[in-house]
Amino acid sequence: MDTRGCAWLLLLLSLPQGQSHQPLHRSKRRWVLTTLELQEEDPGPFPKLVGELFNNMSNNVSLIYLIRGPGVDEFPEIGLFSIEDHQSGKIYVHRPVDREVTPSFMVHFDAVDRSTGKVVDESLIFNIRIRDVNDHAPQFPEKEFNISVKESQAAGQPIFQLLTVDLDQENTPNSQVLYFLVSQTPLLRESGFRIDLISGEVRLSGCLHYETAPLFTLIVRASDCGEPSLTSTATIHVSVEDSNNHMPTFMEDRYEIRISEGQVEQGVLYLPVQDGDSPFTPAWRTQFNIWDGNEEGHFDIVTDPETNQGLLSIIKPLDYESQVAHSLVVVVENQEQLFVCTEGQLQPLRKAMASTMVSVQVLDTNDPPAFHPQSFIVSEEDGAWPAIQLGYFNATDPDRADSQIRYKLVHDPENWVTVDEKSGVVTTKKQIDRESPHVNDSFYTIIVHAVDNGLPPLTGTGTLMLFLSDVNDNAPTLRPHSRHLEVCESAGSQPLLIEAEDADLDPYADPFTFDLDNAQGDVEETWMLRTKQGEGHSAELTMLRSVPPGDYLVPLFIADRQGLAQKQTVHVRICSCRSGSECEEPSDTWLLWWALSPVGAALMVLSAALLCLLRCSCTFGPKRLRGFIPSDSGHQTLIVYNEESKVPSAQVYLDRMVPRQQPLQLLEGRVVEAWSQKLQSIDVLEGDTGYLPHVYREEGECEGAETLSSLTFLEQDLSPKLLGCSGSKSTPSEAMCFTSRVPS
């Protein structure tokens, strides 16, 4: 067994300097040493013997002892320890040691053969302990503390805890601290403090009274248990926060006020109170409530934040006729709960609020008339005629039963009814129309005022809601977007959607029935109309044969569910679509430029004059008519007609008859030539009375020349049927209509 690995340490108490000591010897042990321990802050003198060690191999070998490590040649304290001349194991310390800086030192010892310089045994590592002494007093983190405590704080509850720090060795009497209350200012019998000896918690030992002592000063001492004991002190300033230990009270036990009926008024009564707590604190702030007498919700009470008094208000008008007086019980309490302290203990308080009585007298005033009922509904059929009694308004004066009430109509936007001033009877004076813009969802509103004879006169308002039941008084009509349709020439067979609408309600509206007007020429040969199934308000218009581009009229009838129908006309424009699926817009710039030119203006004036002359000649003219234009409808829908007068549209007729591609000069020349031929064919014999007037046609039969449009044509643009009216195609100017004075 390796003897170097079997070294054992023997710890011995160090002896005071000057006393001898002998180490214990055991077999197989080669290192023998005394336990090394130093007293903190040892005053010396220095160097001072700490202890001694030796190796039992020194019996055979001359040894030198070496020492190294912290306190010798390493931090934290270099040169603190040394060995005497390296020839013995005596260890010395050279200065005082602070345990709070370095509580111990780990030192290495070596034994070296004096002759060879070799280490003869394993190094010895041992701990030099620093024995603590009570050299630090407990320290408070602050010298003074400021805390606040509610006046309502219960006794025995901790309000603050003191903590101290002692730098002496932990878990020793030197660092164990005890706390003591040295003094209390002011010192009161029922208001006291105490401090826990071990924990340092400060507690109340009675009740606080803000009004008696709002501030306390406590001096506390902390002492350790060392020998000798060290102490320190701190000061605690305790501020007492006022709490609610005073109940608010009213200045008076009863209040009386007078209020006129029908008014809403704020702050009709101020209710001052007294409170002994600190102003503007929750203990002083008041809360008011109406405990009794406000079942109808006429009154309300709030707290004035500045004066702390109650403000009573009328939030719902009082009615003298219903109740002439009101008795209110008003109570007041603080925002913070009330408490009392009895014999140093907080006690619950049963009665925490004060009360007062408020008597309210209601004064009679003139009330407006009241309608019975204020609003009612009357049903009448749409289209009702005058002199029908719809109902009557009934109003009474709540002040007097014998009051005279006048009724006045104030809202009747269509002026349909009258209201009798005395009886309130409502009677129609005009026919009623449910389609009026003032009828909303079949209801028409009539408003009437009732005025009493009080001073001053007051007015009540009543409403009659007239419900108009629908009748079938409107035939279906085309919707605006279905009156003018466009279709490309290449897609002529594509169905066109037609939609209709009816101002009547069900069952006098859709589903609609769509039919072509067969009396209009060859409409059935050109068009087909089919009602869309399942919708009831639309149909599809389809072209049966190809027609050239132009504007066409398609007459049709639309009937509602009850069979009420009227004639409608769809304007269909067939156009060229070179760029796609939309019609190209025609350019009317040339026409506008022509109309604004001087020549165009002159021609327009001349045309208007000739038109008047021709119309007169058609009825009373003396010349013989060489030809006439028969009253034939011609090719159906080639011309757009005005639906009321059936007069051809000049603009459309010009569009169809005048080629727009011709230059302006050519156009003006052809128009002048045409008018010259027309003027030459008119032979008016001024002053010739040799023949008596003879009527050949009744007024209105001459349809060939009723508008300017029929005069503005060119020869090559006239149809063969129209030219046949004169008997010869070579004289189109003779196609104008006159009444001959010679019977044919």
Side-chain angles (χ1 to χ4, degrees):
M1 183 177 183
D2 186 359
T3 59
R4 296 183 60 182
C6 298
W8 289 87
L9 299 180
L10 178 62
L11 302 180
L12 300 175
L13 291 175
S14 61
L15 299 176
Q17 188 174 8
Q19 296 183 1
S20 63
H21 62 277
Q22 295 293 333
L24 297 177
H25 296 275
R26 291 185 180 181
S27 59
K28 298 184 180 180
R29 289 186 177 178
R30 292 180 290 185
W31 279 112
V32 180
L33 69 155
T34 304
T35 298
L36 302 181
E37 186 177 66
L38 295 178
Q39 179 176 317
E40 180 186 14
E41 301 294 345
D42 191 337
F46 300 100
K48 186 175 184 178
L49 180 64
V50 177
E52 185 178 1
L53 72 159
F54 65 91
N55 192 291
N56 58 11
M57 292 182 64
S58 60
N59 297 330
N60 302 322
V61 179
S62 178
L63 298 178
I64 298 176
Y65 296 98
L66 302 177
I67 187 173
R68 56 186 173 86
V72 181
D73 56 358
E74 295 180 11
F75 288 102
E77 296 190 39
I78 299 176
L80 181 63
F81 302 104
S82 66
I83 292 181
E84 185 181 24
D85 297 332
H86 300 290
Q87 296 180 0
S88 66
K90 294 181 179 180
I91 302 173
Y92 294 90
V93 63
H94 294 271
R95 56 183 179 268
V97 180
D98 187 357
R99 192 204 67 84
E100 284 71 38
V101 177
T102 309
S104 64
F105 296 87
M106 300 296 295
V107 182
H108 297 252
F109 288 93
D110 291 303
V112 179
D113 187 340
R114 186 182 295 274
S115 61
T116 63
K118 294 182 179 180
V119 177
V120 298
D121 203 347
E122 292 182 356
S123 296
L124 174 63
I125 303 175
F126 66 95
N127 182 26
I128 301 178
R129 296 195 306 269
I130 309 301
R131 186 173 64 252
D132 185 36
V133 295
N134 191 21
D135 59 345
H136 291 85
Q139 297 296 321
F140 290 98
E142 302 287 343
K143 289 296 182 180
E144 294 188 3
F145 300 91
N146 295 290
I147 63 173
S148 297
V149 180
K150 295 284 291 184
E151 184 182 14
S152 57
Q153 178 73 35
Q157 297 294 324
I159 61 174
F160 188 64
Q161 184 175 14
L162 290 169
L163 297 175
T164 58
V165 177
D166 195 314
L167 298 179
D168 292 320
Q169 187 174 354
E170 295 181 359
N171 301 320
T172 66
N174 294 340
S175 61
Q176 184 179 355
V177 180
L178 300 178
Y179 298 92
F180 304 91
L181 179 60
V182 178
S183 65
Q184 170 187 320
T185 305
L187 185 60
L188 303 176
R189 181 178 179 181
E190 293 185 357
S191 301
F193 300 86
R194 61 185 176 85
I195 188 168
D196 188 273
L197 186 67
I198 304 299
S199 66
E201 288 182 340
V202 181
R203 302 171 185 264
L204 285 177
S205 60
C207 295
L208 298 175
H209 296 279
Y210 172 82
E211 292 76 15
T212 302
L215 180 65
F216 289 88
T217 300
L218 308 178
I219 298 178
V220 179
R221 182 180 70 240
S223 301
D224 62 24
C225 299
E227 290 294 340
S229 177
L230 301 179
T231 63
S232 61
T233 60
T235 302
I236 303 176
H237 301 286
V238 182
S239 297
V240 181
E241 294 182 2
D242 191 18
S243 297
N244 187 20
N245 58 348
H246 294 86
M247 184 176 67
T249 58
F250 287 99
M251 303 292 291
E252 302 289 342
D253 294 333
R254 185 179 184 86
Y255 297 88
E256 293 184 1
I257 58 173
R258 296 184 177 184
I259 302 297
S260 298
E261 67 170 333
Q263 295 183 2
V264 173
E265 187 175 352
Q266 300 293 322
V268 296
L269 178 64
Y270 286 75
L271 299 173
V273 295
Q274 291 179 331
D275 196 304
D277 295 310
S278 298
F280 305 103
T281 64
W284 177 81
R285 294 286 185 188
T286 54
Q287 295 181 157
F288 293 87
N289 287 287
I290 302 176
W291 190 266
D292 188 37
N294 193 31
E295 291 75 17
E296 300 297 328
H298 292 281
F299 305 92
D300 184 39
I301 189 168
V302 296
T303 302
D304 187 327
E306 297 297 330
T307 64
N308 209 37
Q309 58 188 349
L311 300 180
L312 184 67
S313 301
I314 309 296
I315 60 174
K316 181 180 177 181
L318 300 172
D319 185 13
Y320 176 85
E321 287 71 27
S322 299
Q323 190 173 351
V324 298
H326 298 263
S327 295
L328 307 178
V329 177
V330 179
V331 297
V332 63
E333 59 184 342
N334 292 123
Q335 294 181 358
E336 188 176 277
Q337 184 178 1
L338 184 68
F339 79 95
V340 294
C341 182
T342 304
E343 296 181 354
Q345 297 294 326
L346 296 180
Q347 300 295 331
L349 189 64
R350 297 180 180 178
K351 185 180 179 181
M353 60 182 64
S355 64
T356 189
M357 183 73 68
V358 178
S359 177
V360 181
Q361 297 293 326
V362 183
L363 303 179
D364 189 20
T365 59
N366 185 25
D367 296 311
F371 281 86
H372 312 282
Q374 187 174 1
S375 177
F376 63 101
I377 299 176
V378 173
S379 179
E380 187 58 60
E381 190 177 74
D382 182 22
W385 291 96
I388 296 178
Q389 182 175 325
L390 299 178
Y392 66 93
F393 286 93
N394 180 26
T396 59
D397 192 336
D399 297 317
R400 303 184 300 277
D402 58 348
S403 175
Q404 296 180 0
I405 294 179
R406 296 178 294 107
Y407 297 94
K408 181 180 180 181
L409 181 64
V410 295
H411 183 75
D412 178 22
E414 289 289 354
N415 197 24
W416 283 344
V417 300
T418 60
V419 177
D420 187 87
E421 185 181 32
K422 295 183 178 181
S423 65
V425 174
V426 182
T427 307
T428 61
K429 66 176 182 180
K430 293 172 61 177
Q431 186 178 9
I432 296 174
D433 183 11
R434 193 191 64 84
E435 283 71 37
S436 166
H438 297 284
V439 177
N440 297 318
D441 296 330
S442 300
F443 280 96
Y444 180 74
T445 303
I446 299 171
I447 300 177
V448 169
H449 282 173
V451 184
D452 63 13
N453 57 351
L455 293 175
L458 295 182
T459 300
T461 302
T463 303
L464 187 154
M465 302 296 295
L466 179 59
F467 178 80
L468 299 176
S469 58
D470 195 21
V471 296
N472 197 16
D473 58 346
N474 291 278
T477 60
L478 287 171
R479 291 188 176 181
H481 65 270
S482 296
R483 297 172 184 171
H484 297 272
L485 304 176
E486 289 185 350
V487 63
C488 294
E489 183 180 11
S490 59
S493 60
Q494 178 181 352
L496 301 176
L497 181 63
I498 299 175
E499 293 183 316
E501 58 187 0
D502 196 319
D504 295 322
L505 299 177
D506 187 79
Y508 306 115
D510 57 1
F512 303 132
T513 303
F514 297 82
D515 294 298
L516 292 172
D517 184 5
N518 299 331
Q520 298 293 326
D522 56 352
V523 62
E524 287 189 331
E525 298 178 3
T526 307
W527 307 98
M528 179 181 70
L529 190 63
R530 181 177 62 182
T531 303
K532 294 194 69 174
Q533 299 296 327
E535 293 190 5
H537 61 273
S538 61
E540 290 182 342
L541 180 65
T542 306
M543 188 186 305
L544 298 178
R545 61 187 180 90
S546 178
V547 295
D551 298 296
Y552 297 85
L553 302 181
V554 180
L556 50 85
F557 290 98
I558 308 176
D560 60 20
R561 189 191 303 182
Q562 308 300 328
L564 181 63
Q566 71 174 341
K567 183 179 178 181
Q568 298 282 281
T569 302
V570 179
H571 298 71
V572 181
R573 180 188 177 195
I574 300 177
C575 56
S576 299
C577 302
R578 300 178 182 178
S579 59
S581 59
E582 296 184 358
C583 292
E584 295 181 351
E585 293 296 332
S587 177
D588 293 336
T589 305
W590 69 272
L591 183 60
L592 177 62
W593 184 78
W594 173 81
L596 295 177
S597 65
V599 177
L603 291 177
M604 291 178 66
V605 173
L606 180 60
S607 299
L610 290 177
L611 175 61
C612 297
L613 180 61
L614 290 176
R615 290 180 62 89
C616 294
S617 300
C618 185
T619 306
F620 305 106
K623 290 291 294 181
R624 178 173 60 89
L625 178 66
R626 295 190 180 96
F628 68 93
I629 301 176
S631 179
D632 191 354
S633 61
H635 190 279
Q636 106 83 14
T637 68
L638 282 179
I639 304 173
V640 176
Y641 286 85
N642 181 287
E643 301 223 13
E644 294 184 358
S645 62
K646 302 300 181 183
V647 178
S649 171
Q651 178 60 47
V652 176
Y653 203 66
L654 283 173
D655 290 345
R656 298 291 300 135
M657 294 303 181
V658 180
R660 299 186 179 183
Q661 295 81 3
Q662 296 183 4
L664 178 63
Q665 296 79 0
L666 179 60
L667 174 63
E668 293 179 351
R670 297 184 64 178
V671 171
V672 171
E673 180 183 357
W675 281 111
S676 299
Q677 295 178 2
K678 295 178 185 290
L679 294 174
Q680 292 176 2
S681 62
I682 299 175
D683 184 11
V684 180
L685 300 179
E686 298 182 358
D688 187 0
T689 58
Y691 296 93
L692 295 176
H694 182 82
V695 178
Y696 288 89
R697 281 186 180 271
E698 296 294 334
E699 180 181 2
E701 292 184 0
C702 183
E703 300 179 357
E706 287 191 346
T707 67
L708 183 63
S709 301
S710 62
L711 300 178
T712 57
F713 60 83
L714 299 179
E715 177 180 344
Q716 60 268 30
D717 293 325
L718 298 179
S719 64
K721 184 180 294 186
L722 187 61
L723 291 176
C725 176
S726 62
S728 173
K729 298 181 180 180
S730 60
T731 58
S733 59
E734 297 179 0
M736 294 179 291
C737 178
F738 292 93
T739 301
S740 174
R741 62 179 179 175
V742 180
S744 57

